[in-house]
Amino acid sequence: AQFTALSSLVLLSACGGAQSSGEKDANGAGKVTADIGVISYISGPGAAYGEAITNGLKLANEEINKKGEVEINLVIEDSAGKQDQALTAAQKLMNSKNVTAIIGPTLSTEMNVVGPEADLNGVPIMGTSTTAEGIPQIGEYVFRNSLPEALAIPASIDKAIEKYDAKKVAILYGNDDVFTKSGFDTMKKAAEEKGLEILTIETFQKGQSDYNAQLTKIKSLKPDLILASALYNEGAVIMDQARKMGIDVPFVGGNGFNSPEVIKIAGDAANGLIVATPWYGDKDDQKVQDFVKKYEEKYGKKPDQFAAQAYDALYILAEALKNAGDADRDAVRDALAETKDFQGILGSFSFDKDGDVVMEPTVLVIDEGKFTVFE
Ligand code: PYR
């Protein structure tokens, strides 16, 4: 496209309240230019989430800008997985007139405080890894493209019942985090609905290093399965300590557990972890394999689901910018809400009426140190 200073000037003044520049070429075809804010968990114990997410976003950004239909500038802020830091980052981004929309934050706990602010300020915000119940329902500006626990956990439990004839379960969850608490609610509800006997419910807190009391109790009750709602750091330590105590039953985890970090931290103790996923790298799908190849070339490691969801999220947002024809926050919100049958590496993607995800998960199990499809 060719641009003239005059045509972009005319458009800028014509769209008045737009947050960023839209430029039109001589034929009137628009190229939208926008800053997209990113709030990500880049430092601290869950930094591998943010690393994967920002890697996925940067890869998509390069490709999108190269295509030339829209021009995106990512403005990345670290939240360190903390509510207050996420909120400060969000305020900074929202106060920048040039920021059209925000991707993130990483944790549901963070989105619980950032989402309402973004909604109030009329800034579209899309979580790529926020899976707790109720996130998109925060408001009409709040979206996510991450697989909700409400879809993931029942699918994992079904597979575990089918495979291991599980009848009795123990539940262990972090009671100081929105995602781990919500995952627990979903696990308990699913276990009750499926007629499983719940032997005990144990809790832990972020950063806890010793799970002896909880695991000793669980071991004495001899469950067939342990349902554990945890982020990867605590989850991996729990599995490591459980195996060392001779607890060898399978674990079912939620989204936070679905990270290669679990294998890195727990080694062989991670074998037997069952999770449901929106994406896996071995899928026989050209789009997925192209993404895996490009990601590996760029970063020297394989992508995980967090990278994949972030990658698709930026494409979904780019499509919304293109369809809005403008970097105006309201126009982009409306275009985002209309996303239908977007073909990405997660498959065909649409939002439901609340801005939530409609998707069939795949169930994986860690076997011999590797996530594999749970047949
Ligand atoms: C959440 O906080 O929602 C995650 O899934 C990690």
Side-chain angles (χ1 to χ4, degrees):
Q2 288 173 353
F3 302 98
T4 65
L6 184 65
S7 61
S8 47
L9 202 75
V10 167
L11 184 85
L12 271 175
S13 54
C15 58
Q19 281 77 28
S20 190
S21 63
E23 297 173 355
K24 292 207 172 186
D25 66 18
N27 303 319
K31 171 171 170 172
V32 183
T33 303
D35 282 2
I36 300 298
V38 176
I39 306 171
S40 201
Y41 190 168
I42 301 169
S43 65
Y49 293 134
E51 184 194 326
I53 289 167
T54 51
N55 281 350
L57 291 173
K58 285 176 192 164
L59 179 57
N61 193 26
E62 270 179 23
E63 295 173 10
I64 290 164
N65 287 356
K66 205 152 145 199
K67 271 192 203 158
E69 291 173 321
V70 296
E71 175 85 27
I72 290 175
N73 173 42
L74 295 177
V75 184
I76 300 175
E77 300 284 340
D78 180 18
S79 67
K82 296 185 176 138
Q83 283 185 333
D84 53 347
Q85 203 166 317
L87 193 55
T88 305
Q91 274 154 353
K92 185 171 157 195
L93 292 168
M94 289 185 301
N95 287 337
S96 164
K97 261 195 324 101
N98 290 338
V99 170
T100 295
I102 295 173
I103 288 184
T106 304
L107 303 181
S108 296
T109 277
E110 300 171 303
M111 185 62 111
N112 240 27
V113 296
V114 169
E117 281 296 307
D119 196 55
L120 205 64
N121 286 291
V123 181
I125 186 163
M126 174 154 57
T128 69
S129 55
T130 41
T131 60
E133 195 73 20
I135 296 289
Q137 290 76 14
I138 289 171
E140 59 174 7
Y141 286 82
V142 184
F143 300 83
R144 69 169 158 204
N145 78 327
S146 39
L147 178 68
E149 297 307 332
L151 295 178
I153 287 170
S156 296
I157 294 179
D158 277 344
K159 271 275 182 227
I161 292 174
E162 183 193 316
K163 187 90 175 176
Y164 303 113
D165 194 25
K167 295 193 167 57
K168 299 175 294 173
V169 298
I171 309 184
L172 183 58
Y173 77 101
N175 64 2
D176 59 349
D177 176 272
V178 169
F179 152 73
T180 56
K181 272 197 285 191
S182 175
F184 159 68
D185 290 338
T186 306
M187 283 172 174
K188 184 165 176 281
K189 184 161 167 263
E192 285 166 357
E193 280 173 5
K194 293 168 199 307
L196 295 169
E197 183 187 350
I198 299 173
L199 300 170
T200 185
I201 295 170
E202 301 292 321
T203 60
F204 63 87
Q205 283 85 43
K206 265 181 203 173
Q208 188 166 325
S209 55
D210 181 359
Y211 301 89
N212 188 54
Q214 291 91 334
L215 292 172
T216 301
K217 174 137 182 230
I218 288 172
K219 188 178 179 193
S220 73
L221 295 167
K222 299 192 171 58
D224 302 321
L225 197 63
I226 297 172
L227 312 181
S229 185
L231 294 166
Y232 71 70
N233 215 40
E234 290 79 14
V237 176
I238 288 168
M239 287 197 78
D240 187 45
Q241 292 183 9
R243 300 307 186 219
K244 281 181 179 141
M245 289 173 67
I247 300 173
D248 57 5
V249 295
F251 276 67
V252 168
N255 178 64
F257 232 145
N258 182 10
S259 166
E261 290 299 302
V262 174
I263 300 168
K264 231 168 147 184
I265 297 168
D268 284 348
N271 289 338
L273 173 65
I274 300 159
V275 293
T277 193
W279 184 88
Y280 63 103
D282 292 331
K283 193 170 178 184
D284 184 16
D285 175 304
Q286 196 55 50
K287 263 197 162 118
V288 170
Q289 292 316 315
D290 288 348
F291 165 69
V292 171
K293 187 162 171 276
K294 282 182 286 188
Y295 189 98
E296 272 194 285
E297 276 168 13
K298 190 167 164 63
Y299 302 112
K301 58 161 84 171
K302 284 191 188 299
D304 62 15
Q305 60 148 356
F306 294 97
Q309 286 182 313
Y311 178 86
D312 262 8
L314 198 66
Y315 268 102
I316 290 167
L317 202 49
E319 198 66 19
L321 281 165
K322 204 169 75 186
N323 291 338
D326 194 312
D328 176 72
R329 290 170 172 176
D330 290 331
V332 170
R333 190 229 79 95
D334 292 347
L336 205 49
E338 279 167 24
T339 301
K340 261 256 145 348
D341 304 325
F342 167 83
Q343 301 301 317
I345 56 171
L346 304 178
S348 182
F349 182 87
S350 306
F351 290 118
D352 72 5
K353 63 171 181 27
D354 292 332
D356 209 348
V357 173
V358 189
M359 199 188 278
E360 266 293 308
T362 304
V363 180
L364 304 178
V365 64
I366 300 179
D367 186 27
E368 296 183 5
K370 199 171 172 293
F371 280 104
T372 49
V373 176
F374 198 18
E375 305 287 3

